[in-house]
Amino acid sequence: MSSNIRVSKVCEFCGEEFTARTTVTRFCGDRCAKRSYKQRKRENKISRAIVETNQQRLLSVTELNMEAINQKDYLSIKEAFTLLGISERTFYRLMKSGKIKATKLGNRTIIKRSEIDKLFADEGNTETT
């Protein structure tokens, strides 16, 4: 079944005007279609490489922060939930349930590092029984 449709279009790759036989044709020919495909693949590779590089940078910054956090005896709430690898909301739930004791110092809330270590020591004892 052939179509007698003739639609004047502009090629998405080279910008030349051509006559298309279907309404969904995007390129003037096979050459432009292949070149457009290659260009999309190349741009996709570049964007993935940029994302990976940004993630590596973020990890290196996070590792530096973790080293600083590991050396402190008293932690802020943000440092504590970052150290534990949990969300802020989950950390507040742990504080509310009494599993983690926090101390107010003026407007700041601080957590003793030993409290977090004790949390893991308690979890280990309950799992073995």
Side-chain angles (χ1 to χ4, degrees):
M1 188 162 176
S2 65
S3 173
N4 292 329
I5 298 174
R6 302 280 186 247
V7 180
S8 182
K9 289 192 157 208
V10 176
C11 178
E12 288 183 17
F13 185 74
C14 67
E16 300 270 331
E17 191 172 318
F18 69 99
T19 304
R21 293 185 189 160
T22 66
T23 57
V24 294
T25 303
R26 297 171 48 199
F27 306 104
C28 60
D30 192 45
R31 175 183 270 172
C32 282
K34 287 179 179 178
R35 287 181 178 176
S36 177
Y37 173 79
K38 283 281 225 179
Q39 184 179 12
R40 283 193 314 269
K41 288 295 180 184
R42 194 176 302 119
E43 289 170 356
N44 195 3
K45 263 186 183 178
I46 291 170
S47 66
R48 272 190 274 139
I50 290 171
V51 167
E52 288 174 9
T53 303
N54 289 339
Q55 286 176 345
Q56 289 172 349
R57 285 183 187 152
L58 183 65
L59 285 175
S60 64
V61 169
T62 305
E63 288 170 0
L64 290 174
N65 289 344
M66 289 301 283
E67 288 177 17
I69 289 172
N70 284 331
Q71 295 174 355
K72 291 183 175 182
D73 290 331
Y74 295 94
L75 305 171
S76 69
I77 290 178
K78 184 173 183 175
E79 291 169 338
F81 71 75
T82 302
L83 177 68
L84 291 171
I86 58 177
S87 71
E88 188 175 0
R89 185 167 172 86
T90 302
F91 188 79
Y92 277 108
R93 264 191 240 119
L94 288 172
M95 282 176 38
K96 188 175 182 179
S97 69
K99 291 184 179 181
I100 295 178
K101 293 180 185 137
T103 307
K104 289 287 275 183
L105 255 170
N107 289 338
R108 290 191 64 194
T109 303
I110 59 169
I111 296 94
K112 235 180 169 180
R113 177 62 188 260
S114 60
E115 284 293 321
I116 292 174
D117 295 337
K118 198 183 337 175
L119 176 70
F120 288 110
D122 290 344
E123 290 295 323
N125 291 338
T126 56
E127 286 180 17
T128 57
T129 48

